[in-house]
Amino acid sequence: MNPLVELLLDGGSLSTAQMAQVLKLSEAELNSQLEALKKEGVLLGFRPVLNLSNEETGVVRAVIEVRITPERGGGFNRLAERISRFDEVESCYLMSGGYDLLVFVNGASLQRVAAFVSEKLSTIEGVLSTATHFMLRAYKEHGFMLGGKVVESERLKVSP
Amino acid sequence: MDQSRFIAKHVVNLPKSGIRDFFDIVAKMKDAISLGVGEPDFDTPWHIREAGIYALEKGKTHYTSNLGLLELRRAICKYVEKNFSASYVPENEVIITVGVSEGLDLACRALINPGDKVMYHQPCYVSYSPSITLAHGIPVPVPTFAKDNFALTVEALRAAWQPGCKVLMLNLPCNPTGGTCDRAQIEAIAKFAVEKDLIVLSDEIYSELTFEGVHTSIASLPGMKERVIFLHGFSKAFAMTGWRIGYACGPAALIEAMMKVHQYSMLCASIISQEAAIEALVRGEDGMKKMRDQYHRRRDFIVRRFNEIGLKCHLPRGSFYAFPDVSMTGMNEKDFAISLLQTEKVAIVPGTAFGENGRGFCRACFATSYEQLVEAATRIERHVAAVAGKK
Ligand SMILES: Cc1ncc(COP(=O)(O)O)c(C=O)c1O
């Protein structure tokens, strides 16, 4: 693996200056490598993982199971991409099993999300059915536990 | 009343651990970055912890047999055969211990007659010499050197050998140096052990954390199984230090002797930890390798930084310790470690805590987050520049 990609995965929240130290690069070199990764379409961006309540963010999230008709030549791709382009859609995956697409959406309110499903999503030619599940509470997000306080693990400062 | 007169002489004479002294200083320091620890920064992988919880739920709250759960001993034999190429019989050639610590103690007490001499390479884990003394043996340290990347050489063994030596203790890869021996060197050590008729205690607790080449266990060499007690555990590779669980494998007669001591002193290791250990062996390999890969990258970083800073540091082939030479600062290892702690709030352990042969060196544990390591390196660099400038 590209050492920078490896470090991005492993090094968590290092600053660019710190990443440069680890990889023995100047900060300028590091930035140009980051740029290169973006150009190649490998690095798409950074997002913080926040632990905020729904009231604070004012966001309602839902998962929608979508069944669609595959097309000759394109399979599921054209429709999947079309659905993915909506701003409301956070992520979209092609799945095996009882439905075809799993779509994660968010909206400012329950009504907005419901409207998105009934007016946009299900009216698309080729969408056969949708089943919408609203998320009530998050327990783990992108590898981080959300509940409760952060407890420092109590490692002794010096041990043999 | 002066109670000290009641204390056994060989205990009075045990030196206080250099680690403890240092711990007392660091404990008073708020928000220091500590590279002074001897354990993984990872908590035990969740599936292993969950196995412990499950064991409790199922009412596994009783004693086990003295040797430990047979299912665990079977899993150990499979694991040791696969990873160390040494085969043992679960029924009578394995004993589950309370960490490698107890394994070491059992072996010393089972093997050593008062006055028997025990060779061990030094710098070494802090318990080695005291364990020998507590069993009324005589410690015979064998130096290892930076020029050999702290591998144990037969020349050093030969030079240190004296009549009356009965036991040879090995710890490869080594705490605190990270040094280890390649196959040829282990073969030479094995030959020496046969020539001098030594029984070998091989503490291979860091063997999974070998970053270059393959780890060779002395127990796997032809003809050696009969004179080796293989000590291993879960603390380092599986990040299970607090579970206090380990094991010893060896010839049935020796395991039986260790079992005698164990049954009258410890009875058995915690059943909860034994259950969790089964999970670690059966399903823990992927998680263990992930941790090892992270240590590997952190090692490459911190060793490179020490050398850039001017603190000469060999590349430790195993363990999670770097062992830089701090003598260029013009300070001894203790003064350097204390001044680093006081001015830059970074804790490393003076090499002499691990024996006289650690003079001039310090141990820095790199089992910690990148953020901390990068910051620690920056602070060490600043401190070295400041003190070396004054020299
Ligand atoms: C070389 C060595 N042996 C044994 C131990 C003790 O291990 P355990 O936790 O299995 O008792 C340690 C712990 O630091 C060690 O470094």
Side-chain angles (χ1 to χ4, degrees):
Chain A
M1 210 191 290
N2 174 328
L4 176 53
V5 174
E6 204 167 59
L7 184 61
L8 286 171
L9 285 170
D10 182 15
S13 40
L14 291 181
S15 68
T16 49
Q18 289 175 321
M19 280 197 275
Q21 271 201 37
V22 173
L23 296 174
K24 202 169 190 319
L25 299 170
S26 69
E27 236 182 302
E29 283 169 323
L30 184 99
N31 282 325
S32 77
Q33 286 200 12
L34 282 173
E35 274 313 307
L37 282 181
K38 282 186 189 159
K39 281 216 181 86
E40 291 162 29
V42 174
L43 174 61
L44 303 177
F46 295 100
R47 286 183 81 175
V49 185
L50 301 175
N51 186 5
L52 299 174
S53 65
N54 286 351
E55 298 93 82
E56 283 172 286
T57 56
V59 168
V60 174
R61 295 167 80 197
V63 203
I64 311 170
E65 303 166 5
V66 185
R67 288 176 52 239
I68 56 177
T69 326
E71 296 166 326
R72 185 171 291 227
F76 296 102
N77 293 348
R78 194 188 63 86
L79 264 182
E81 279 168 24
R82 181 163 166 201
I83 291 169
S84 299
R85 283 180 184 275
F86 284 101
D87 282 349
E88 289 87 345
V89 174
E90 218 172 75
S91 335
C92 177
Y93 309 92
L94 179 64
M95 311 293 289
S96 66
Y99 52 88
D100 304 307
L101 298 180
L102 188 62
V103 182
F104 287 72
V105 301
N106 59 44
S109 66
L110 212 106
Q111 286 74 14
R112 293 271 182 87
V113 174
F116 169 73
V117 176
S118 61
E119 290 165 25
K120 304 283 187 208
L121 191 55
S122 38
T123 56
I124 295 174
E125 176 95 14
V127 170
L128 299 175
S129 71
T130 63
T132 304
H133 311 275
F134 284 96
M135 292 186 193
L136 301 181
R137 178 170 179 179
Y139 291 93
K140 189 174 184 180
E141 201 79 76
H142 297 285
F144 293 93
M145 293 296 293
L146 301 183
K149 297 192 289 276
V150 182
V151 260
E152 280 287 308
S153 110
E154 290 159 20
R155 203 159 63 138
L156 297 175
K157 283 253 189 311
V158 179
S159 55
Chain B
M1 187 173 123
D2 174 25
Q3 282 94 356
S4 61
R5 67 203 157 89
F6 293 120
I7 300 172
K9 279 206 190 66
H10 66 290
V11 174
V12 172
N13 293 336
L14 275 186
K16 215 174 129 204
S17 158
I19 292 259
R20 266 229 73 85
D21 287 348
F22 206 64
F23 175 83
D24 293 339
I25 306 173
V26 179
K28 289 193 201 99
M29 186 80 76
K30 278 244 168 351
D31 52 64
I33 296 182
S34 183
L35 309 184
V37 298
E39 61 174 332
D41 58 334
F42 301 107
D43 293 335
T44 309
W46 178 252
H47 70 104
I48 299 173
R49 287 192 262 165
E50 202 271 342
I53 296 169
Y54 184 72
L56 276 175
E57 281 175 349
K58 289 285 151 192
K60 308 250 171 142
T61 61
H62 302 273
Y63 292 133
T64 70
S65 84
N66 295 130
L67 288 178
L69 296 172
L70 186 57
E71 190 189 350
L72 174 56
R73 283 181 276 144
R74 287 205 175 110
I76 286 168
C77 289
K78 260 199 196 146
Y79 183 83
V80 171
E81 168 107 54
K82 178 176 162 217
N83 295 293
F84 299 89
S85 309
S87 59
Y88 291 98
V89 180
E91 282 73 17
N92 61 7
E93 293 184 328
V94 186
I95 180 170
I96 312 300
T97 58
V98 179
V100 171
S101 305
E102 196 215 355
L104 269 170
D105 180 49
L106 290 181
C108 286
R109 288 205 270 167
L111 299 177
I112 298 172
N113 290 310
D116 283 345
K117 291 177 184 162
V118 180
M119 307 180 81
Y120 61 102
H121 50 98
Q122 196 216 55
C124 66
Y125 181 49
V126 294
S127 313
Y128 282 14
S129 171
S131 299
I132 298 163
T133 309
L134 285 171
H136 308 285
I138 298 170
V140 179
V142 183
T144 58
F145 302 100
K147 69 172 171 55
D148 306 315
N149 290 340
F150 292 100
L152 172 62
T153 65
V154 167
E155 295 73 51
L157 274 173
R158 237 175 243 297
W161 184 86
Q162 26 180 297
C165 282
K166 172 173 175 183
V167 184
L168 169 61
M169 284 163 69
L170 298 177
N171 174 221
L172 305 166
C174 171
N175 172 9
T177 64
T180 188
C181 291
D182 59 25
R183 192 177 174 92
Q185 288 168 318
I186 302 246
E187 281 170 350
I189 294 168
K191 221 170 122 197
F192 176 82
V194 173
E195 177 194 323
K196 301 294 186 194
D197 194 27
L198 301 172
I199 171 91
V200 180
L201 298 186
S202 187
D203 172 354
E204 305 190 21
I205 193 163
Y206 293 101
S207 54
E208 284 89 349
L209 309 180
T210 298
F211 306 118
E212 268 101 27
V214 280
H215 171 80
T216 305
S217 173
I218 193 163
S220 71
L221 298 184
M224 285 309 287
K225 196 189 137 181
E226 60 183 29
R227 61 169 71 241
V228 172
I229 296 177
F230 172 87
L231 301 172
H232 202 1
F234 298 83
S235 287
K236 315 293 169 165
F238 296 98
M240 290 178 71
T241 45
W243 296 78
R244 312 306 308 124
I245 184 90
Y247 53 93
C249 304
L254 300 183
I255 294 298
E256 171 70 20
M258 287 169 66
M259 197 271 276
K260 267 195 194 161
V261 182
H262 175 74
Q263 76 182 356
Y264 295 128
S265 53
M266 199 62 71
L267 215 167
C268 69
S270 149
I271 187 170
I272 303 153
S273 302
Q274 293 193 49
E275 291 283 345
I278 295 173
E279 174 69 21
L281 288 181
V282 176
R283 278 175 284 271
E285 191 168 337
D286 290 349
M288 180 267 282
K289 285 185 175 153
K290 244 195 220 158
M291 293 189 271
R292 179 185 63 199
D293 290 346
Q294 299 201 15
Y295 298 140
H296 189 165
R297 291 193 284 270
R298 283 156 178 67
R299 176 201 70 163
D300 290 350
F301 168 72
I302 198 69
V303 171
R304 194 196 83 222
R305 289 291 284 132
F306 276 131
N307 284 303
E308 283 171 4
I309 291 166
L311 302 179
K312 222 165 130 209
C313 184
H314 84 109
L315 191 65
R317 259 187 60 206
S319 83
F320 36 57
Y321 307 110
F323 204 57
D325 180 347
V326 300
S327 53
M328 64 74 78
T329 60
M331 290 177 157
N332 70 35
E333 69 292 331
K334 217 167 168 181
D335 292 344
F336 178 74
I338 288 174
S339 66
L340 177 66
L341 181 65
Q342 282 166 347
T343 49
E344 294 287 356
K345 294 193 169 183
V346 174
I348 56 178
V349 183
T352 35
F354 308 96
E356 261 312 296
N357 297 312
R359 195 164 289 289
F361 293 82
C362 284
R363 187 190 77 175
C365 173
F366 50 80
T368 193
S369 73
Y370 256 134
E371 285 85 353
Q372 298 241 319
L373 273 187
V374 171
E375 177 60 22
T378 305
R379 295 188 193 183
I380 293 170
E381 183 161 40
R382 198 161 51 209
H383 187 61
V384 168
V387 297
K390 262 189 246 154
K391 178 169 66 164

